[in-house]
Amino acid sequence: MNSYLEIDKQNLLHNISQFRTILPVNTAIAAVVKSNAYGHGLESVATAIQSKVDWFCVVNLNEALTLRRIKIKKPILVLSYYFEKIDLAIKNNISLVVYDISQAKNISAQAKKIKKIAKIHFKVDTGTSRLGIGETEALKLIKQIIKLPNVKIEGIFSHFAASEENQKYTDWQLEKFNALIKKLDKEKITIPIKHFACSAAAMVRTDSAFNMIRLGIGLYGLWPSKQAKKITRKIHPRFSLKPVLTWKTKVIAIKSLPGGTCVGYGCTFKSRKKTKIAVLPVGYYEGYDRHLSNKGEVLINGRRCPVRGRICMNLCIIDITNVKNVKVGDEATLIGDKITADSLAEKIGTINYEVVTRINPLLPRTLK
């Protein structure tokens, strides 16, 4: 392949160790490897870190079954949805999220059928207004679930809406979750695992860690937001993250253009003088965002080379006029070194999560 990703195992392990230093003692880390490990490669990332984390979190059952297929033995939680193969989840010791009674009854029936105990994590909506049951109804529903045969409520959790930037709202969500935990304690209902904190909350709100955190974007060496980075640096001056992903490609063609020559679809760029260009086998199909047209930069021989014209489906064109001795086959860095996921996100008006997650999963990922 002419376009490929390198995944730095040592940086993955560094990031995990950094979170270990700031978490309360005995707090478990659940590595969030959903959506192809945020674009980094589900199988390679999970294999690389399985001895250093306590749990894995995925978005759906297919991802969970993939982890079991590659011999991941750590506990796995499906965070969001599943529609079929519930019996396979139970047989493979995969924990499932529950946020309504019909799910719980279905799981109970499937578990009873195969004579197994199904493990579930009850999701509470404390203010994200997404998945989960409201905390005012949660106690009633939990009481119903614990009466169902062959089901064990192993965990209870919620999700922050703005832990990176809105501490008042975060306080409000935490208060609601803690109030529910107190109600459960009063009713003598014990749920062993409690988790709420994402990467940002784990950095800036130790009181949200409970006994497990869900480590997502921080695992990959990316900051959840500028605000989270600023606060973390004040609270934990020695805390650092190292980006894990480098995206590279190779020059497939070189041309010299006279001044006044249009480049690419729509003629959105016209050379003002004699210009040397290189063509790269990367476009929006590969995940190099079209909004980087005439904005993006890549590195060749350590020099920044601007994108000229529109990003195509499978190709892009860069200006190599100021770089000496470029030849076909030379390496070009799309993300890595001086070009970060954050810098690309700023150029196209999005977040670093989207930049890395949208890299085509068919591109090879190599663990270094």
Side-chain angles (χ1 to χ4, degrees):
M1 294 285 286
N2 287 325
S3 183
Y4 51 94
L5 284 74
E6 295 174 346
I7 307 302
D8 193 315
K9 179 179 178 179
Q10 293 309 311
N11 285 0
L12 276 169
L13 300 181
H14 165 85
N15 298 331
I16 293 168
S17 69
Q18 288 293 289
F19 277 90
R20 293 282 187 203
T21 65
I22 65 173
L23 290 173
V25 178
N26 298 324
T27 301
I29 290 180
V32 183
V33 292
K34 66 178 183 173
S35 304
N36 200 31
Y38 289 44
H40 291 65
L42 172 64
E43 296 184 20
S44 55
V45 168
T47 301
I49 66 173
Q50 65 173 323
S51 66
K52 300 297 181 181
V53 299
D54 307 289
W55 276 74
F56 285 98
C57 292
V58 294
V59 71
N60 58 40
L61 186 50
N62 284 338
E63 288 182 343
L65 292 171
T66 296
L67 291 183
R68 287 289 185 246
R69 179 177 55 78
I70 63 168
K71 309 301 181 188
I72 297 297
K73 295 180 180 179
K74 291 289 173 73
I76 301 170
L77 170 62
V78 175
L79 288 170
S80 297
Y81 54 89
Y82 45 88
F83 300 106
E84 299 171 342
K85 304 177 184 175
I86 290 172
D87 59 327
L88 284 180
I90 300 165
K91 287 176 184 176
N92 282 279
N93 196 30
I94 294 166
S95 301
L96 299 172
V97 62
V98 164
Y99 38 83
D100 68 49
I101 191 63
S102 62
Q103 289 175 309
K105 287 180 177 178
N106 189 12
I107 291 169
S108 173
Q110 295 280 346
K112 189 175 180 181
K113 198 174 183 180
I114 60 175
K115 298 178 181 178
K116 298 277 187 180
I117 301 297
K119 297 174 184 177
I120 65 171
H121 286 230
F122 186 85
K123 185 160 190 181
V124 186
D125 178 14
T126 55
T128 304
S129 301
R130 204 170 58 177
L131 297 178
I133 194 80
E135 85 288 349
T136 54
E137 303 165 288
L139 180 60
K140 179 182 176 183
L141 186 52
I142 289 169
K143 285 181 175 180
Q144 289 179 276
I145 292 172
I146 58 178
K147 293 177 182 176
L148 295 173
N150 297 74
V151 171
K152 176 187 177 184
I153 304 180
E154 176 185 47
I156 184 169
F157 71 110
S158 190
H159 192 74
F160 286 116
S163 57
E164 302 97 329
E165 53 201 354
N166 189 331
Q167 294 309 305
K168 283 189 176 179
Y169 199 78
T170 299
D171 287 340
W172 182 67
Q173 286 191 269
L174 262 176
E175 285 170 12
K176 291 166 78 171
F177 191 72
N178 280 320
L180 175 59
I181 298 301
K182 286 181 180 177
K183 288 178 185 177
L184 291 170
D185 289 342
K186 191 174 180 181
E187 297 280 345
K188 293 184 169 44
I189 298 172
T190 301
I191 300 178
I193 303 171
K194 300 171 183 66
H195 49 110
F196 204 150
C198 54
S199 296
M203 293 171 182
V204 304
R205 294 296 299 261
T206 315
D207 56 339
S208 70
F210 294 93
N211 57 2
M212 186 166 85
I213 69 157
R214 301 186 303 273
L215 179 56
I217 196 73
L219 171 63
Y220 308 102
L222 301 174
W223 292 89
S225 69
K226 288 181 179 179
Q227 183 68 3
K229 184 176 182 178
K230 184 179 178 181
I231 296 170
T232 305
R233 287 265 167 89
K234 285 183 179 178
I235 302 172
H236 310 290
R238 296 182 180 179
F239 184 88
S240 68
L241 293 175
K242 294 181 180 181
V244 168
L245 178 151
T246 302
W247 186 9
K248 295 180 179 180
T249 189
K250 292 180 180 178
V251 174
I252 60 168
I254 294 173
K255 287 185 177 183
S256 292
L257 307 177
T261 303
C262 290
V263 175
Y265 288 127
C267 302
T268 60
F269 178 83
K270 183 184 284 189
S271 61
R272 294 181 180 178
K273 58 181 181 179
K274 185 177 179 181
T275 302
K276 198 171 186 180
I277 61 167
V279 182
L280 305 179
V282 170
Y284 51 82
Y285 170 76
E286 284 72 28
Y288 198 64
D289 199 288
R290 192 169 180 268
H291 289 94
L292 290 168
S293 301
N294 291 307
K295 291 181 182 178
E297 293 177 315
V298 307
L299 291 176
I300 295 184
N301 296 337
R303 298 287 298 275
R304 291 179 181 269
C305 302
V307 172
R308 300 302 192 197
R310 286 183 182 160
I311 306 292
C312 309
M313 187 179 292
N314 307 106
L315 301 169
C316 66
I317 301 160
I318 62 166
D319 190 333
I320 57 170
T321 306
N322 298 321
V323 187
K324 294 180 180 179
N325 303 320
V326 180
K327 60 187 184 299
V328 170
D330 279 358
E331 195 171 75
T333 300
L334 303 164
I335 298 177
D337 195 12
K338 302 168 189 173
I339 297 178
T340 65
D342 293 280
S343 66
L344 295 185
E346 283 190 18
K347 287 179 185 292
I348 61 179
T350 187
I351 54 176
N352 53 17
Y353 296 71
E354 184 177 357
V355 170
V356 293
T357 303
R358 291 182 67 189
I359 299 173
N360 193 313
L362 298 179
L363 298 181
R365 274 85 167 152
T366 303
L367 199 66
K368 292 199 306 177

